[in-house]
Amino acid sequence: QVQLVESGGGLVQPGGSLRLSCETSGSFFTITDMGWYRQAPEKERELVATIARSGTTNYAISVKGRFTISRHTARDTTSLQMNSLKPEDTAVYFCNAEAITGSGRRTYWGKGTPVTVSS
């Protein structure tokens, strides 16, 4: 099993910044892709950004140029730096990781951290 724990969410004014972090624990051989997703009230969960073990990144168009995903491969952690936040960024943000374990390749999710952008 792999556990993911997010931190860093909160209330911020429009134009402000937040940094989300995600730590992993548990039993696994390696973490391949890591990412961040978000779910706004009454909307489906959507991709925000992903980062491969190689460092290759992918962003949703809505956050490109404002958000930056990074990872510390040795520690199997990932962060999401969010700048120029907008009210439409309000959502619960979830960390996601694909891990290779004794049971094979599986996808794991954290419980989420809420982000509210409001004046």
Side-chain angles (χ1 to χ4, degrees):
Q1 287 292 332
V2 178
Q3 292 80 44
L4 304 176
V5 178
E6 304 95 337
S7 62
L11 173 65
V12 64
Q13 292 186 343
S17 298
L18 279 176
R19 185 177 180 86
L20 306 183
S21 296
C22 175
E23 295 190 357
T24 61
S25 62
S27 179
F28 53 89
F29 296 125
T30 189
I31 300 289
T32 56
D33 295 343
M34 301 189 79
W36 291 91
Y37 290 70
R38 68 186 181 186
Q39 187 166 16
E42 300 182 359
K43 291 190 176 181
E44 293 187 355
R45 190 172 298 188
E46 63 177 5
L47 178 147
V48 176
T50 61
I51 184 166
R53 192 170 182 83
S54 63
T56 300
T57 58
N58 179 50
Y59 294 94
I61 293 174
S62 60
V63 306
K64 210 165 188 178
R66 300 188 296 123
F67 291 11
T68 302
I69 188 171
S70 60
R71 71 185 283 175
H72 192 297
T73 302
R75 298 176 185 169
D76 293 314
T77 61
T78 182
S79 296
L80 185 69
Q81 178 65 42
M82 307 187 294
N83 299 328
S84 303
L85 283 161
K86 305 175 182 180
E88 51 263 44
D89 294 317
T90 295
V92 177
Y93 284 70
F94 298 89
C95 178
N96 164 284
E98 187 171 273
I100 299 175
T101 71
S103 302
R105 184 187 295 267
R106 291 186 60 185
T107 299
Y108 296 88
W109 294 90
K111 293 183 178 180
T113 184
V115 171
T116 302
V117 184
S118 175
S119 54

